Amino acid sequence: MARTFRWLLRTFLALSALGLVAAFLVYWLAGRSLPDYDARHDVTGAEGRIEIVRDNHNVPHIFAGTDADVFFGLGFAHAQDRLWQMTMLRRTAQGRLSELFGSRTVRTDELLRRFDLYGLARDSVAAQDAETRAALEAYAAGVNAWIRRVNDEALGRGAPEFFLFSNRIAPWQPADSLAVLKIMALQLSGHLSEEVLRARVSLMLADARVADIMPDAPGEGVAALSDYAALFPGLPRYAALPEAPRDPLSPVPERGFAGASNAWAAAPERAAAGGTLLANDPHLGLSAPSIWYLARLELSSGGVIGGSIPGMPLILTGRSARLGWGLTSSYMDDQDVFIERLNPDNPQEYLTPDGYVPFETRKSLIEVKDAPAVPLTLRWTENGPVLPGSHYDLAAVTPKGHVAAIGWTALDAADTSMTAGLRLMRAGSVAEALEAGELFVAPSQNLTIADTDGVAMQMVGAMPGRLPGHRTSGRLPAPGWQEVNRWQGRLPYAVNPRFTDPAGGIVGNTNNKVIDRDFPLHVSFAWGDTQRIQRWLRLMKNREVHTRDSFIEGQLDTVSFTARALLPLIARDLWFTGDPAPAGTPERRRQRALDMLADWNGEMNEHLPEPLIYAAWLRELQNRLSQDELGPLAAEFTHPDPVFIERVFRDVDGAAAWCDVAQSTRRETCTDIARLALDDALIWLAERYGENVESWRWGDAHQARHDHQVLGELPLLNWFVNIRQSTSGGDNTLLRGLTVGRGPDPFANVHGAGYRGVYDFADPDSSVFVISTGQSGHFLSRHYDDLGELWRRGEYIPMSLDPDLARAAAVGITVLRPRDG
């Protein structure tokens, strides 16, 4: 027995030793790709000496004798910290993910090949001005200099992910940077899915009910909707579709996730210190690492500092010594679905106003890891690329004998958005920034600008030219063979909304409706926000003058205007009513929850139970109201729409009819549905978080998920690469944390402000910024998540252009010298 025990102990010790050796070997190999920030490198492609000063938060401050060398340094720094992220963005645009990930990403690759974003990016290189092409070439040379360094010195393949997947990295090209910008346009575009869903709903419901469940932003709008069934007779009233699994690598946003943001600026007369102020927090999907990367560039026109996206030589949101700029999604309607009629005698032709013409076609082949290659035939019409019905649920709205083509402003082979961005970085005044905005094509954004004297907001991006007689006003798929539905080029830049030096001294946007004009100058029918704007107006009007700190307070505000507005409506017949109920009963729990909500001020604080009760109640209420009318289609409405719920409980245009369950014999009232929905919510919460209502915490359900898009799903590794944080805020607060809306954790925070910046031109070096994770994409780096805790607590780091401050306590200075110098 003793001998057996000794051998078991020896075996255990041997296996443990082997495990430790293996763990050390993995750690050593992965650690080889951690860059040394205090080093000197001889590089090919640089014109002179380049210094990359890494401050104590690992923000690179790049100094060189020429602008080209500054962009070279930015490419080098981006590649040092985010090489895997950059190559993934490029592969996504190229439709080549399946070469690494096999069959799971074929669907994504197929869609990107059909859009041909990479081909359009390649064609757009020639459309850039000379300075932009020089910047793109220098940036690419900087990226390639680091790739060569990795290969020459065996630096762990450049990132730990390359040990699990192919480490073959093609040299970076100028077109790659333009392709990354195209991917951002795809991530920020949501009108295509909105059109399709509106068509699907209109096939089931009367127009008045469509206006309830998919309401326009409050204010004047269209009086009636087109009848989609009349446009295409014979479509089924409801077409059930198989639910396609969503891959985390897909750049196509789900409905409601197509970008958001906050930005506002105050003129000197509205600022306590007499200098302009600007705040910006763009909202995108949360990930580890963040899509954002902080950087400072010292250009010939002066220093610029702010948020960049690895892969592009741009500071997308930030400031110089004289100008600050921020971006918010404009929600311009820049996408349309065209239903194309096939020639019944020749399906290789489609109908145009001039008769049947052949599709433009070409072949493509998707290489798939561990599986046969997938051949594709790509087809384009005069209106845009043809997509099969398996994408965007197009099968449900495409009649037999027809196909769907997509019109989208980003499908432009002469897209000059990169040139516009670089000119914006060099602009020294609001006027120069507005002029640069004319070259933006896609994605359309609201550009908020402040110089030392004034403020402005300009919608940038190409606006499609539609005819007044358009059959659907761009709200529904339209017959592509009718001239009246076709785009007539793009409208002039002067048509885009512009607001300069307003009388009130403040401009701002929370993705709300900014203008109300008749079609076709309407900008959009579907806006991203109807709620945050109300809270923002309150905060701006409550102060005669603002400061940097009051702008920070606005970014971090967690009060829900929605909760304050809706709870008195849905609970008005439930508060302080009913007979006393014994402890432990559902009635007692309901009364306790209602008492807590009655005393709640609407603050979506992570430490409180009330936000969780409120959010769960609204979710169940939306389900109760819509399930009987919409059936399986109700699952498409993953987030409660406050305007819909308000219409129902105020009985606007008879909307209270949604409260009556059509299949039941009795007539349910809105009070009945509100009580049942609250009971549903409390049962779910008790099963999930226990019976004690007071112990529930919003932050337990509203965790920010900064997940690694590839390694985040792998057992064990996900503990190292995913970053989870309890957070305040919610879907409709200025501190926005959009919830996932489905699955076992419907209130997880998955879409929010990955970047926050506040710029004060009374004291520019007191400006601040932060990102949601850290600068490094390497999970073994201390800079992988060091900014994440600051971000969670609502803290910032200094945003200074002072080179001495950057050098003080720097984590290292990288010096690049020309190899032949």
Side-chain angles (χ1 to χ4, degrees):
M1 185 70 179
R3 183 176 181 182
T4 302
F5 176 78
R6 284 196 300 272
W7 276 107
L8 287 173
L9 179 62
R10 290 168 184 169
T11 302
F12 171 76
L13 291 175
L15 291 174
S16 298
L18 286 173
L20 288 173
V21 170
F24 175 78
L25 182 62
V26 170
Y27 179 87
W28 182 81
L29 288 172
R32 289 281 295 164
S33 53
L34 283 168
D36 180 2
Y37 297 126
D38 201 9
R40 293 175 178 267
H41 302 290
D42 294 331
V43 296
T44 301
E47 299 174 4
R49 189 176 189 269
I50 303 169
E51 263 194 343
I52 306 175
V53 179
R54 303 274 186 163
D55 68 18
N56 58 344
H57 297 290
N58 199 29
V59 179
H61 296 247
I62 303 171
F63 304 92
T66 66
D67 286 358
D69 277 354
V70 171
F71 289 119
F72 184 103
L74 180 63
F76 194 89
H78 275 168
Q80 277 186 304
D81 288 322
R82 303 286 187 89
L83 184 60
W84 171 258
Q85 186 182 49
M86 293 169 64
T87 57
M88 286 298 293
L89 285 169
R90 177 172 63 179
R91 276 190 178 274
T92 302
Q94 292 173 331
R96 295 179 55 213
L97 292 172
S98 300
E99 295 174 15
L100 296 184
F101 305 109
S103 299
R104 60 172 278 198
T105 54
V106 167
R107 176 181 165 83
T108 298
D109 283 344
E110 179 213 338
L111 180 64
L112 270 295
R113 297 282 181 102
R114 294 190 187 280
F115 278 136
D116 193 26
L117 293 189
Y118 191 79
L120 294 166
R122 193 169 49 234
D123 294 341
S124 293
V125 173
Q128 314 307 314
D129 66 15
E131 285 186 334
T132 302
R133 289 196 299 273
L136 290 169
E137 290 166 2
Y139 178 86
V143 174
N144 294 331
W146 176 250
I147 294 173
R148 281 193 293 272
R149 179 68 48 187
V150 167
N151 292 333
D152 292 346
E153 299 183 12
L155 299 180
R157 298 187 174 184
E161 293 89 344
F162 289 115
F163 282 105
L164 300 177
F165 304 97
S166 172
N167 65 324
R168 291 180 295 176
I169 307 173
W172 198 264
Q173 303 289 336
D176 299 344
S177 296
L178 299 181
V180 172
L181 189 55
K182 295 284 189 186
I183 287 294
M184 298 311 301
L186 181 58
Q187 291 179 337
L188 295 171
S189 298
H191 281 277
L192 198 163
S193 56
E194 194 75 14
E195 274 191 36
V196 173
L197 182 58
R198 185 176 291 276
R200 295 178 69 192
V201 171
S202 71
L203 288 170
M204 296 185 66
L205 303 177
D207 286 350
R209 298 287 74 88
V210 177
D212 290 333
I213 192 68
M214 300 185 73
D216 293 330
E220 294 184 8
V222 296
L225 303 179
S226 298
D227 182 355
Y228 192 68
L231 289 174
F232 300 101
L235 275 172
R237 302 305 289 180
Y238 175 73
L241 295 174
E243 184 174 351
R246 176 170 172 77
D247 195 288
L249 294 172
S250 172
V252 178
E254 291 186 82
R255 180 175 181 263
F257 290 85
S261 302
N262 299 316
W264 47 85
E269 63 269 20
R270 292 298 304 274
T276 51
L277 294 161
L278 192 150
N280 184 213
D281 52 295
H283 305 164
L284 291 167
L286 300 179
S287 63
S290 167
I291 189 66
W292 293 100
Y293 182 91
L294 305 176
R296 176 265 182 87
L297 312 178
E298 189 63 33
L299 301 172
S300 57
S301 55
V304 293
I305 187 169
S308 68
I309 290 179
M312 295 189 289
L314 288 178
I315 300 297
L316 286 161
T317 171
R319 74 171 186 90
S320 64
R322 299 170 294 167
L323 185 77
W325 61 96
L327 299 172
T328 57
S329 293
S330 73
Y331 279 78
M332 178 193 289
D333 186 2
D334 55 7
Q335 291 180 317
D336 270 347
V337 180
F338 296 94
I339 303 299
E340 310 282 18
R341 178 177 294 171
L342 298 177
N343 185 344
D345 298 322
N346 182 2
Q348 304 307 314
E349 295 181 340
Y350 67 99
L351 186 60
T352 73
D354 300 318
Y356 288 106
V357 299
F359 290 98
E360 177 188 335
T361 63
R362 60 179 179 272
K363 301 292 186 180
S364 186
L365 190 69
I366 300 175
E367 299 291 342
V368 184
K369 180 183 178 183
D370 300 328
V374 177
L376 292 179
T377 299
L378 310 179
R379 296 192 294 177
W380 284 59
T381 73
E382 294 173 359
N383 292 314
V386 173
L387 296 188
S390 56
H391 293 288
Y392 293 98
D393 297 329
L394 286 165
V397 298
T398 307
K400 186 178 181 180
H402 297 71
V403 294
I406 308 304
W408 181 24
T409 56
L411 304 178
D412 187 339
D415 188 339
T416 52
S417 300
M418 184 67 70
T419 294
L422 286 167
R423 289 190 184 182
L424 178 61
M425 287 166 52
R426 295 185 171 101
S429 68
V430 166
E432 291 178 12
L434 292 173
E435 183 180 352
E438 185 169 5
L439 294 176
F440 273 103
V441 176
S444 175
Q445 298 282 285
N446 287 319
L447 177 64
T448 304
I449 330 163
D451 60 17
T452 54
D453 300 315
V455 298
M457 189 173 74
Q458 168 73 54
M459 188 177 292
V460 298
M463 188 182 299
R466 298 181 179 92
L467 292 173
H470 193 291
R471 293 287 301 279
T472 72
S473 299
R475 308 194 76 182
L476 297 166
W481 60 90
Q482 296 174 355
E483 185 65 34
V484 71
N485 300 325
R486 293 184 154 213
W487 288 2
Q488 311 298 308
R490 52 198 268 190
L491 297 176
Y493 180 56
V495 172
N496 287 21
R498 173 182 295 184
F499 309 88
T500 56
D501 294 323
I506 292 180
V507 295
N509 180 249
T510 62
N511 316 118
N512 57 289
K513 180 165 68 173
V514 297
I515 199 166
D516 191 26
R517 299 188 304 205
D518 291 336
F519 180 87
L521 302 181
H522 65 304
V523 177
S524 180
F525 291 116
W527 301 89
D529 172 54
T530 60
Q531 306 293 300
R532 302 196 317 274
I533 186 63
Q534 304 300 328
R535 179 63 181 170
W536 177 77
L537 287 170
R538 177 77 176 268
L539 293 179
M540 293 299 107
K541 291 177 179 179
N542 274 355
R543 293 174 179 263
E544 184 175 345
V545 292
H546 284 272
T547 65
R548 183 199 70 167
D549 290 341
S550 74
F551 269 33
I552 290 174
E553 180 185 335
Q555 284 190 339
L556 304 178
D557 186 79
T558 61
V559 173
S560 171
F561 166 84
T562 312
R564 289 184 171 185
L566 288 186
L567 279 176
L569 276 177
I570 64 177
R572 61 189 172 191
D573 295 325
L574 300 176
W575 272 333
F576 315 116
T577 61
D579 298 326
T585 63
E587 291 78 8
R588 181 66 171 269
R589 187 167 54 205
R590 183 202 307 147
Q591 290 172 358
R592 180 64 188 128
L594 286 167
D595 289 345
M596 294 169 68
L597 291 176
D599 294 332
W600 180 47
N601 68 352
E603 183 183 0
M604 302 291 288
N605 187 302
E606 62 182 298
H607 303 295
L608 298 178
E610 289 88 350
L612 182 54
I613 299 169
Y614 153 75
W617 189 3
L618 250 63
R619 178 171 177 261
E620 297 298 339
L621 184 58
Q622 176 92 17
N623 290 339
R624 283 271 183 177
L625 291 172
S626 60
Q627 275 184 335
D628 61 318
E629 277 89 353
L630 295 178
L633 198 55
E636 299 294 329
F637 295 85
T638 56
H639 295 81
D641 189 319
V643 179
F644 165 60
I645 293 173
E646 182 175 2
R647 286 177 64 89
V648 170
F649 278 81
R650 291 192 187 278
D651 195 18
V652 177
D653 297 330
W658 287 85
C659 292
D660 182 38
V661 180
Q663 288 85 356
S664 70
T665 54
R666 68 182 292 258
R667 186 173 182 83
E668 291 82 7
T669 67
C670 289
T671 299
D672 295 333
I673 296 300
R675 183 178 59 254
L676 291 169
L678 179 56
D679 289 344
D680 290 341
L682 294 174
I683 290 170
W684 183 84
L685 290 170
E687 291 173 350
R688 186 68 184 271
Y689 300 105
E691 294 289 340
N692 187 0
V693 177
E694 285 79 1
S695 68
W696 297 343
R697 289 179 68 256
W698 174 235
D700 291 339
H702 195 241
Q703 283 198 346
R705 289 184 173 179
H706 309 274
D707 289 357
H708 193 290
Q709 288 182 307
V710 176
L711 305 183
E713 295 182 332
L714 298 181
L716 186 62
L717 265 179
N718 56 9
W719 287 91
F720 295 94
V721 299
N722 292 342
I723 305 168
R724 301 290 175 88
Q725 302 165 322
S726 169
T727 54
S728 298
D731 290 349
N732 299 308
T733 54
L734 287 173
L735 181 68
R736 179 176 174 274
L738 185 60
T739 55
V740 68
R742 65 175 80 220
D745 300 303
F747 304 119
N749 177 2
V750 295
H751 194 278
Y755 170 94
R756 297 188 190 118
V758 180
Y759 324 137
D760 183 355
F761 284 95
D763 180 11
D765 282 338
S766 71
S767 302
V768 292
F769 60 174
V770 74
I771 59 173
S772 57
T773 57
Q775 290 284 88
S776 176
H778 198 304
F779 65 87
L780 293 180
S781 169
R782 69 184 179 93
H783 298 296
Y784 184 68
D785 60 356
D786 58 336
L787 296 178
E789 186 58 30
L790 299 179
W791 175 85
R792 192 198 76 80
R793 296 199 304 260
E795 298 178 15
Y796 299 73
I797 62 175
M799 185 191 204
S800 174
L801 290 172
D802 185 336
D804 293 332
L805 288 177
R807 295 175 189 278
V811 298
I813 300 177
T814 303
V815 177
L816 307 179
R817 298 173 301 189
R819 188 176 296 277
D820 55 355

